[in-house]
Amino acid sequence: MSAIIKTPELIEKMRIAGKLAAEVLEMIGEHVKVGVTTDELNTLCHNYIVDVQGCIPAPLNYGYPPFPKSVCTSVNHVICHGIPDDKPLKNGDSVNIDVTVIKDGVHGDTSKMFFVGEPNIQAKRLAKVTQECLYKAIKIVKPGCRLGDIGEIIQKHAEAASYSVVRDFCGHGIGEGFHEEPQIVHYGKAGTGEELKAGMCFTIEPMINAGTYRLKVLKDQWTAVTKDRKLSAQYEHTLLVTENGVEVLTLRNDEDFPRVISH
């Protein structure tokens, strides 16, 4: 299996899906506060995706066992695939909200960290470094860049801050399929791995832990948590490799980062 090079028509659809996914994260921010449950956040996202955007929430009933909700909400030591529930968020909690929408048959996939009430200092630093890992990786994406280049730049930045990079989950090709080739691992060695080509679309979504990178998956067969119960953070964007650089298809209005980077 090799990466699918997207047609110009498909790329246009990907731009729209990416923008819509970003808008869900922009919408939900004001609702993340003390006392709200992640299930209430899920309902708000679901209704916005379906009723306002006219999209399909990709996670709902995805996989086996079928994922039961429309977004993933990963709180504190949950690394990814947290299932929204009725537990109220507390002051100092951090939560990753991961959104994937389907519009006109293509996927837009993105996530960001939110802080509840007064942010925990450790959680804020971890999130900052994680977002920096994502941005540093995006900046080097262009035709000829190798997957190992992406992995190494993320791993070096995370480990320089005394954090660890999750091994068990990775970014992925995306388009008409939710998860396509190639797999984008967030650690590795520069100069190795598949070479990027113009027209490829994929996610970079580093999961960075405050302690060990080791994890366990709970009995629900979805929720991944840090083995030492220390904090985890994640940011994700859907990207397009252009003829001379990269376009961030899921860029939000709250980000001070270029949508298009040319080399």
Side-chain angles (χ1 to χ4, degrees), residues 3 18 20-21 34 72 81 189 202-203 232:
L20 290 164
V34 175
C72 299
H81 304 154
K189 189 171 187 295
F202 54 82
T203 70
S232 185

Side-chain angles (χ1 to χ4, degrees), residues 195-244:
E195 198 172 287
L196 302 184
K197 295 179 175 66
M200 288 170 68
C201 285
F202 54 82
T203 70
I204 300 178
E205 47 184 295
M207 287 149 268
I208 307 299
N209 293 350
T212 178
Y213 65 81
R214 299 188 188 282
L215 58 81
K216 63 178 182 179
V217 176
L218 302 186
K219 284 180 185 170
D220 61 32
Q221 297 180 56
W222 279 105
T223 309
V225 301
T226 57
K227 199 132 194 194
D228 56 12
R229 296 185 70 83
K230 289 187 178 176
L231 293 172
S232 185
Q234 180 186 23
Y235 281 87
E236 173 183 18
H237 274 312
T238 297
L239 311 168
L240 164 69
V241 183
T242 63
E243 293 297 332
N244 61 357

Side-chain angles (χ1 to χ4, degrees), residues 2 15 35 37 93 96 104 110 151 157 162 213 235 240 253 255:
S2 58
R15 286 190 176 109
T37 68
D93 282 345
N96 175 276
D104 290 337
T110 185
H157 190 64
S162 300
Y213 65 81
Y235 281 87
L240 164 69
N253 289 329
E255 292 181 274

Side-chain angles (χ1 to χ4, degrees), residues 69-91:
K69 300 291 179 176
S70 294
V71 296
C72 299
T73 53
S74 301
V75 181
N76 295 335
H77 67 287
V78 178
I79 295 169
C80 62
H81 304 154
I83 299 173
D85 61 22
D86 59 3
K87 188 177 173 189
L89 292 171
K90 304 185 306 297
N91 185 56

Side-chain angles (χ1 to χ4, degrees), residues 98-226:
D98 193 340
V99 171
T100 309
V101 303
I102 307 171
K103 182 72 169 180
D104 290 337
V106 302
H107 294 71
D109 188 2
T110 185
S111 83
K112 72 169 278 194
M113 298 301 297
F114 295 89
F115 301 106
V116 182
E118 193 60 41
N120 174 308
I121 298 300
Q122 287 86 359
K124 213 169 175 188
R125 179 178 182 264
L126 176 63
K128 179 176 180 287
V129 170
T130 304
Q131 188 173 43
E132 288 167 357
C133 285
L134 174 60
Y135 286 165
K136 281 175 176 288
I138 292 171
K139 283 176 181 174
I140 66 166
V141 170
K142 62 179 180 179
C145 172
R146 291 187 177 274
L147 294 182
D149 302 345
I150 293 171
E152 181 176 287
I153 203 165
I154 291 170
Q155 185 178 7
K156 278 189 169 173
H157 190 64
E159 291 178 355
S162 300
Y163 296 142
S164 66
V165 180
V166 171
R167 277 20 179 202
D168 298 66
F169 298 101
C170 59
H172 50 88
I174 189 168
E176 291 174 300
F178 193 167
H179 297 96
E180 301 177 349
E181 292 296 324
Q183 293 195 340
I184 313 291
V185 298
H186 304 114
Y187 61 96
K189 189 171 187 295
T192 64
E194 189 177 339
E195 198 172 287
L196 302 184
K197 295 179 175 66
M200 288 170 68
C201 285
F202 54 82
T203 70
I204 300 178
E205 47 184 295
M207 287 149 268
I208 307 299
N209 293 350
T212 178
Y213 65 81
R214 299 188 188 282
L215 58 81
K216 63 178 182 179
V217 176
L218 302 186
K219 284 180 185 170
D220 61 32
Q221 297 180 56
W222 279 105
T223 309
V225 301
T226 57

